[in-house]
């Protein structure tokens, strides 16, 4: 932009322009005057010559007249000479004749002064002499020099032309100043103001001539220029703002950004790119990106091609392959992900590339961890169930093609829950870790060991015959048997039940293999634990287990199809003071034809296949919904609900009961949960936590089948229950068996000492009822007091 101190002063413009124009016109007129003067002088010269000739003719005539008169009047010579003198004087003053000389009758007549600068011309005169003869006399006439005449004429002419040219120049200068210089000067001043002072300055459009039209055109151009300049300024500011924002963004993002030109020369690196590459932007100036961006495969270390060169060559977006790593300037390797895209100009030509990459060290580490966790058990480091099943499927692929034989072992630990319940989960987890190491040392190299869940393990023995697999299983069982787990001051002996199944062309279905191994394992448990059982399709015990598997599907279908029903049986108070009757809710299932299925047919299968938590939740929800009905459930009585051991092990059961009670507005003081003694002992810590959590809300608890365990009285001290229900096997025959009667009496006395009310079940006759009353039993339940009946439930 031009600075203000460089502005041309208006005065200089006012003087110079008219002078230039006037000078051009002046010298043009001078040239025209010179040419005109030359032409006029040429004409003047000829005119002078013609005039001189006329003067000579005039002089000739006058001399002839004088001498003719002399002849006629006989004038004497002196008189004639005087007349010639008078003629010369007259002619010299008027005709530019300076001298005259001729010779007549022997006399030389000379008039005026003769010099070398005069123009000499001759003429002829006929004069009659005294003898009266005609003589031709030559006269010499001397006139002013022709050059002298011309110079005088030139002076006069130049003076006239000069005066005219000067006068015209002055007039022209004034006219030009008025009609040309002043308007142009005004336009220059307006232009100066527009350029240096105010862009609102404009030219004068009021003139009705070309300058006015020009001013109007220029003003329109200035308006357009101002508008365009404003738009450009706005665009410039917007571009600057976007550039600043882009730079701030590029400096702020966590990705490295590198831009190159079409020759792969680095143009820009953001700070993240500098940090990741271990270089500075100044160090990489004028360097090719492919020379400093060293990429390798993370696993193999093989060099990877430059993504920027590939992008510039293909002119398309290039994504760096997986497992790429950047080798920093200091040699450190960083896993990265990168995308390279071409940069194009307005014509669509590639003008460079932009590389965006980020450090994915944490992501890949996390992915590896997730991948490991997805295939491994976190606690033991062994394969998990999903990965184990994948390995079994891979083994099945070569069974049919190559006729290979494999085997699978299903291992379940014995007495694990005792450790878990008596010493806590920390001890149980440590036991599983130590046993995992023992199992790994007891198998062959290449065998696949996995933790399938809880205290259950799976072992895939590839290329192993059934007999050899049985030997391996026995070795495992023996290793576990010999192991002693020590926790604090306690020592535990653990056992293992192992089921073995062969994998061959006749047994290639994964689900069947897993189910067969599972059934064989639990057959080993049912046969006394700590043993190995080999699956045989003809095995009666396994057939029974298979039937339980069939029941598992039927139970799930009954829940989905709403074929589960509730029955209720009264629990009657038989003490002197009636403290209120109870009722117990019993679960039944209808088959596909609507026939009632007894609980003994499906409950074991539900417990075996971990369906009881779902079943128990359904029962709880249905009882809570129907507490307002007219049945026993709906009366102001305590309603007993049975809970299985697997439900007690469910961490979410407590919150489920509380949420259901809150949403259905149930008074938990009318609810009693019955827990079997075996289930309570197996899940002692969970049972205690569950009981304490609900007792604070008014809920009651009953310990069912009390007396069936050898340690019933010992565990009773640790369980905060409200009722104990004597196992029916002691009640039903106590009239005939004194041992059963003594057991019932002992349970009643211990219960009352501990402040717990006692319930006797399986009361089948009046005599048994009367004996129970004499013993001080608080409640009785059985067919003698009321059979179970179906509850009409709300949908």
């Amino acid at each position: 932009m031009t600075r203000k101190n460089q502005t041309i002063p208006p005065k200089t413009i006012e003087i110079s322009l008219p002078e230039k124009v006037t000078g051009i016109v002046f010298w043009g007129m001078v040239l025209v005057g010179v040419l005109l003067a030359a032409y006029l002088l040429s004409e003047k010269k000829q005119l002078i010559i013609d005039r001189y000739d006329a003067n000579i003719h005039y002089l000739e005539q006058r001399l002839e007249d004088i001498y003719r008169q002399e002849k006629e009047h006989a004038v004497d010579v002196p008189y004639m000479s005087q007349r010639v003198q008078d003629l010369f004087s007259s002619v010299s003053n008027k005709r530019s004749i300076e001298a005259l000389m001729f010779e007549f009758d022997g006399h030389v007549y000379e008039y005026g002064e003769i010099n070398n600068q005069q123009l000499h011309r001759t003429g002829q005169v006929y004069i009659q002499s005294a003898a009266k003869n005609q003589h031709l006399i030559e006269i010499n006439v001397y006139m002013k020099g022709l050059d002298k005449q011309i110079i005088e004429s030139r002076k006069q002419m130049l003076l006239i032309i000069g005066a005219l040219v000067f006068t015209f120049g002055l007039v022209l200068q004034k006219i030009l100043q008025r009609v040309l210089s002043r308007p142009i000067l005004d336009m220059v001043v307006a232009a100066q103001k527009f350029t240096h002072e105010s862009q609102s300055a404009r030219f004068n459009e009021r003139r009705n001539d070309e300058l006015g039209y020009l001013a109007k055109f220029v003003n329109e151009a200035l308006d357009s220029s101002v508008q365009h300049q404003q738009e450009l300024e706005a665009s410039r500011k917007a571009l600057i703002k976007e550039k600043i924002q882009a730079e701030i963004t590029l400096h702020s993002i966590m990705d490295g950004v590198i831009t190159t030109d079409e020759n792969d020369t680095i143009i820009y690196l953001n700070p993240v790119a500098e940090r990741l590459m271990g270089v500075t932007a100044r160090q990489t100036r004028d360097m090719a990106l492919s020379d400093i961006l060293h990429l390798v495969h993370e696993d193999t270390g093989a060099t990877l091609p430059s993504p920027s060169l590939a992008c510039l060559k293909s002119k398309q977006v290039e994504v760096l392959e997986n497992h790429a790593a950047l080798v920093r300037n200091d040699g450190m390797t960083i896993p990265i992900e990168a995308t390279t895209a071409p940069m194009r100009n307005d014509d669509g030509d590639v003008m460079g590339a932009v590389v965006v990459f980020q450090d994915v060290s944490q992501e890949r580490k996390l992915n590896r961890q997730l991948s490991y966790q997805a295939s491994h058990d976190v606690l033991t480091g062994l394969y998990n169930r999903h990965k184990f099943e994948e390995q079994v499927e891979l083994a099945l692929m070569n069974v049919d093609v190559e006729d290979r034989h494999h085997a699978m072992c299903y291992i379940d630990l014995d007495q694990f829950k005792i450790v878990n319940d008596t010493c806590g989960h920390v001890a149980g987890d440590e036991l599983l870790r130590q046993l995992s190491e023992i199992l790994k040392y007891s198998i062959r190299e290449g065998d696949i060991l996995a933790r399938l869940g809880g205290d259950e393990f799976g072992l895939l023995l590839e290329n192993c015959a059934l007999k050899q697999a049985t030997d391996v299983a026995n070795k495992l069982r023996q290793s576990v048997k010999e192991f002693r787990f020590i926790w604090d001051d306690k020592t535990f002996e653990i056992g293992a039940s192992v089921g073995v199944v062969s994998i061959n062309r006749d047994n290639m279905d994964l689900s069947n293999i897993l189910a067969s191994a599972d059934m064989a394992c639990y057959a080993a448990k049912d046969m006394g634990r700590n043993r190995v059982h080999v699956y045989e399709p003809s095995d009666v015990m396994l057939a029974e287990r298979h039937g339980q598997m069939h029941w598992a599907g039927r139970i799930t279908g009954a829940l989905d199809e709403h074929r589960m029903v509730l029955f209720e049986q009264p629990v009657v108070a038989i003490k002197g003071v009636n403290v209120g009757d109870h009722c117990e809710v019993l679960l039944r299932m209808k088959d596909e034809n609507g026939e009632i299925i007894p609980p003994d047919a499906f409950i074991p299968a539900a417990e075996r296949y971990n369906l009881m938590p779902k079943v128990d939740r359904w029962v709880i929800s249905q009882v809570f919904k129907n507490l307002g009905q007219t049945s026993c459930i709906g009366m102001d009585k305590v309603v007993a609900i049975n809970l299985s051991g697997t439900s007690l092990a469910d961490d979410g059961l407590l919150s489920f009961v509380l949420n259901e009670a809150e949403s259905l507005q149930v008074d938990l003081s009318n609810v009693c949960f019955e827990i079997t003694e075996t289930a309570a002992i197996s899940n002692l810590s969970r049972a205690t936590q569950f009981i304490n959590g609900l007792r604070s809300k008014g809920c009651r608890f009953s310990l069912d089948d009390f007396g069936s365990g050898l340690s019933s009285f010992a565990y009773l001290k640790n369980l905060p229950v409200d009722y104990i229900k004597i196992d029916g096997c002691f009640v039903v025959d106590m009239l005939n068996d004194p041992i059963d009667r003594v057991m019932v009496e002992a349970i009643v006395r211990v219960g009352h000492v501990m402040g717990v009310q006692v319930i006797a079940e399986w009361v089948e006759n009046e005599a048994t009822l009367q004996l129970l009353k004499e013993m001080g039993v608080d409640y009785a339940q059985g067919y003698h007091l009321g059979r179970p009946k179906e509850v009409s439930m709300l949908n």
Side-chain angles (χ1 to χ4, degrees):
M1 184 178 289
T2 306
R3 296 192 298 268
K4 290 185 178 181
N5 56 9
Q6 294 178 330
T7 305
I8 301 174
K11 184 176 181 181
T12 304
I13 300 172
E14 183 180 8
I15 296 174
S16 62
L17 187 58
E19 285 183 349
K20 291 178 180 178
V21 177
T22 304
I24 293 171
V25 176
F26 177 79
W27 289 109
M29 291 182 64
V30 168
L31 178 60
V32 173
V34 170
L35 295 176
L36 181 61
Y39 173 76
L40 293 177
L41 286 175
S42 177
E43 292 293 326
K44 185 68 173 180
K45 180 178 180 181
Q46 186 62 42
L47 181 60
I48 293 174
I49 293 173
D50 292 341
R51 191 171 66 229
Y52 280 5
D53 291 340
N55 289 340
I56 294 173
H57 290 309
Y58 175 75
L59 186 59
E60 289 176 347
Q61 290 177 359
R62 290 289 296 164
L63 285 175
E64 287 180 357
D65 290 342
I66 290 173
Y67 281 99
R68 188 181 303 115
Q69 289 175 3
E70 177 184 357
K71 177 182 177 184
E72 291 176 358
H73 299 288
V75 180
D76 57 2
V77 174
Y79 178 76
M80 185 185 64
S81 178
Q82 182 62 41
R83 290 191 64 185
V84 173
Q85 179 66 43
D86 293 337
L87 175 61
F88 174 76
S89 299
S90 173
V91 173
S92 62
N93 293 328
K94 297 179 180 181
R95 305 284 182 171
S96 302
I97 298 175
E98 293 183 345
L100 176 65
M101 185 184 70
F102 61 89
E103 183 180 353
F104 181 70
D105 287 343
H107 294 282
V108 177
Y109 297 92
E110 184 178 343
Y111 302 92
E113 296 181 359
I114 299 173
N115 55 54
N116 295 330
Q117 296 180 352
Q118 295 171 338
L119 178 63
H120 173 252
R121 302 296 292 265
T122 60
Q124 294 178 344
V125 179
Y126 291 93
I127 301 176
Q128 186 176 5
S129 65
K132 296 184 180 182
N133 295 322
Q134 291 285 339
H135 298 281
L136 181 60
I137 300 173
E138 184 178 273
I139 61 173
N140 296 304
V141 182
Y142 299 90
M143 296 175 288
K144 290 182 180 180
L146 188 59
D147 293 337
K148 187 177 180 180
Q149 288 289 326
I150 291 175
I151 289 173
E152 291 177 357
S153 298
R154 183 181 295 147
K155 288 180 179 180
Q156 293 176 358
M157 190 176 298
L158 289 176
L159 286 173
I160 294 172
I161 291 175
L164 290 174
V165 169
F166 179 75
T167 303
F168 183 77
L170 292 176
V171 174
L172 179 62
Q173 182 179 6
K174 294 299 182 182
I175 294 173
L176 289 174
Q177 286 180 346
R178 183 174 183 83
V179 300
L180 183 61
S181 298
R182 178 54 58 184
I184 292 178
L185 180 62
D186 292 340
M187 295 178 73
V188 171
V189 172
Q192 290 175 343
K193 290 182 179 180
F194 176 82
T195 304
H196 304 293
E197 297 180 12
S198 173
Q199 290 189 340
S200 62
R202 293 294 182 270
F203 293 172
N204 183 13
E205 301 179 3
R206 292 176 293 179
R207 295 177 62 90
N208 295 322
D209 52 12
E210 291 81 356
L211 291 177
Y213 177 79
L214 177 62
K216 183 177 180 181
F217 175 78
V218 172
N219 284 341
E220 292 178 355
L222 290 178
D223 293 338
S224 177
S225 175
V226 169
Q227 182 179 359
H228 184 61
Q229 185 176 0
Q230 291 174 347
E231 293 174 355
L232 287 178
E233 181 65 18
S235 299
R236 185 183 69 85
K237 291 181 179 179
L239 287 175
I240 292 175
K241 183 178 180 181
E242 291 180 1
K243 179 182 178 182
I244 294 173
Q245 290 177 343
E247 289 180 350
I248 293 174
T249 302
L250 290 175
H251 280 67
S252 301
I253 62 176
M254 299 304 294
D255 294 345
V257 179
I258 306 174
T259 58
T260 71
D261 61 13
E262 66 276 11
N263 297 319
D264 199 37
T265 302
I266 296 174
I267 299 175
Y268 171 80
L269 280 84
N270 74 339
V272 177
E274 293 179 338
R275 176 176 56 81
L276 292 178
M277 297 176 64
V279 296
T280 63
R282 180 175 300 178
Q283 291 174 335
T284 61
R285 184 174 299 169
D286 299 329
M287 294 182 64
L289 178 58
S290 56
D291 293 338
I292 64 172
L293 186 64
H294 302 297
L295 301 175
V296 297
H297 193 281
E298 185 180 13
D299 299 328
T300 65
T303 301
L304 300 180
S306 170
S308 57
L309 289 179
C311 175
L312 292 173
K313 182 178 180 180
S314 66
K315 299 181 181 180
Q316 296 178 351
V317 175
E318 297 288 339
V319 179
L320 200 61
E321 64 177 271
N322 293 332
H323 305 292
L326 168 67
V327 180
R328 283 170 44 96
N329 196 34
D330 56 7
M332 182 185 297
T333 302
I334 301 176
I336 65 168
E337 290 181 354
T339 301
T340 307
M343 296 188 298
R344 302 180 184 271
N345 56 21
D346 295 338
D347 298 327
D349 298 328
V350 175
M351 54 181 291
V354 56
V355 182
V356 180
F357 61 102
Q358 56 270 354
D359 181 356
V360 292
S361 302
Q362 294 298 324
E363 289 83 349
R364 289 194 184 167
K365 180 180 179 181
L366 180 60
N367 287 337
R368 286 192 293 268
Q369 291 177 347
L370 292 176
S371 177
Y372 180 85
Q373 292 173 0
S375 60
H376 289 75
D377 174 57
V378 178
L379 179 63
T380 63
L382 302 175
Y383 280 154
N384 58 18
R385 188 182 193 93
H386 177 73
K387 186 66 176 179
F388 182 74
E389 291 178 358
E390 286 185 356
Q391 295 299 315
V392 175
E393 287 182 337
L394 290 175
L396 289 173
M397 295 176 64
N398 58 34
V399 169
D400 187 45
V401 176
E402 302 178 10
D403 193 21
R404 295 191 180 186
H405 290 74
H406 310 306
M408 175 183 168
C409 300
Y410 198 101
I411 307 164
D412 187 272
L413 299 180
D414 301 327
Q415 308 303 323
F416 171 75
K417 289 186 177 181
I418 295 177
V419 177
N420 214 29
D421 292 339
T422 57
C423 299
H425 293 291
V426 176
D429 291 345
E430 181 60 26
L431 171 59
L432 290 176
R433 279 192 289 266
Q434 293 184 20
L435 280 176
S436 298
E437 295 299 322
I438 292 174
L439 294 175
K440 284 193 291 186
Y441 285 122
S442 302
I443 62 177
R444 308 172 307 167
E445 184 177 357
D447 292 340
I448 299 173
L449 180 65
R451 183 187 177 197
L452 304 182
D455 57 349
E456 299 171 345
F457 296 84
L459 176 63
L460 175 62
L461 303 171
E462 294 190 73
N463 302 313
C464 184
L466 185 59
K467 184 178 184 308
Q468 185 182 3
T470 305
D471 294 338
V472 173
N474 276 305
K475 181 180 179 181
L476 285 175
R477 182 194 60 78
Q478 188 62 31
S479 298
V480 174
K481 180 66 176 177
E482 294 174 355
F483 170 70
R484 296 293 181 270
F485 178 67
I486 301 174
W487 187 262
D488 292 336
D489 56 347
K490 299 181 180 66
T491 301
F492 298 89
E493 178 180 342
I494 309 299
S497 299
V498 185
V500 182
V501 61
S502 177
I503 302 174
N504 49 48
R505 284 183 174 178
D506 298 329
N507 188 20
M508 292 182 56
D509 183 75
L510 175 63
S511 59
N512 287 337
I513 293 171
L514 293 173
S516 299
D518 180 54
M519 287 189 292
C521 175
Y522 278 88
K525 277 186 172 294
D526 292 341
M527 294 170 63
R529 301 177 183 267
N530 192 34
R531 64 184 61 219
V532 175
H533 189 88
V534 179
Y535 173 81
E536 293 291 344
S538 59
D539 196 328
V540 176
M541 185 178 296
L542 295 183
E544 180 183 351
R545 185 69 61 183
H546 185 75
Q548 289 186 352
M549 292 176 62
H550 174 70
W551 274 111
R554 295 186 66 184
I555 293 169
T556 302
L559 286 171
D560 295 338
E561 298 169 10
H562 307 289
R563 288 189 283 108
M564 289 291 184
V565 294
L566 295 182
F567 279 65
E568 61 182 9
Q569 185 178 21
V571 180
V572 181
I574 60 175
K575 244 187 176 181
V577 179
N578 194 340
V579 293
D581 294 338
H582 297 181
C583 73
E584 179 183 1
V585 175
L586 305 173
L587 180 65
R588 301 289 186 268
M589 185 175 78
K590 292 183 178 179
D591 62 13
E592 291 77 2
N593 299 320
E595 298 295 329
I596 297 295
I597 301 174
D600 292 343
F602 66 88
I603 292 296
E607 292 179 341
R608 168 68 183 85
Y609 292 101
N610 201 33
L611 293 175
M612 283 309 298
K614 185 176 182 180
V615 172
D616 286 344
R617 289 191 181 207
W618 181 87
V619 172
I620 293 169
S621 179
Q622 292 299 318
V623 170
F624 283 7
K625 287 179 182 178
N626 290 274
L627 280 178
Q629 300 305 301
T630 57
S631 65
C632 172
I633 294 177
M635 299 177 184
D636 188 16
K637 295 182 178 180
V638 176
V639 179
I641 303 173
N642 290 281
L643 287 180
S644 67
T646 52
S647 293
L648 280 179
D650 183 3
D651 292 334
L653 180 63
L654 176 60
S655 60
F656 172 80
V657 172
L658 293 175
N659 291 336
E660 286 290 295
E662 181 179 1
S663 62
L664 297 173
Q665 299 296 312
V666 172
D667 184 3
L668 288 177
S669 62
N670 293 328
V671 177
C672 176
F673 285 106
E674 287 193 8
I675 306 171
T676 64
E677 178 188 359
T678 304
I681 295 173
S682 300
N683 301 275
L684 186 59
S685 60
R686 295 278 181 88
T688 303
Q689 181 182 4
F690 181 77
I691 293 172
N692 290 332
L694 288 179
R695 278 178 64 88
S696 62
K697 304 294 182 181
C699 190
R700 307 182 193 187
F701 285 88
S702 175
L703 191 60
D704 197 8
D705 296 337
F706 190 82
S708 59
L710 298 177
S711 305
S712 300
F713 295 105
Y715 284 110
L716 183 60
K717 295 187 295 183
N718 299 319
L719 289 172
V721 296
D722 301 278
Y723 309 96
I724 54 175
K725 182 178 284 189
I726 305 172
D727 193 337
C729 65
F730 298 120
V731 176
V732 69
D733 199 31
M734 69 176 187
L735 292 174
N736 302 319
D737 190 337
I739 297 177
D740 289 344
R741 186 167 60 251
V742 171
M743 285 292 297
V744 172
E745 291 176 347
I747 292 173
V748 173
R749 287 198 297 270
V750 171
H752 288 166
V753 169
M754 298 184 66
V756 177
Q757 292 181 310
V758 180
I759 303 174
E761 59 181 356
W762 293 13
V763 179
E764 305 296 332
N765 49 60
E766 181 65 23
T768 301
L769 178 62
Q770 292 300 323
L771 182 56
L772 291 173
K773 288 182 179 179
E774 294 173 2
M775 293 180 179
V777 173
D778 301 283
Y779 294 91
Q781 179 183 5
Y783 281 5
H784 178 67
L785 299 171
R787 291 178 173 271
K789 62 179 181 179
E790 186 175 352
V791 178
S792 298
M793 297 184 296
L794 293 174
N795 294 328

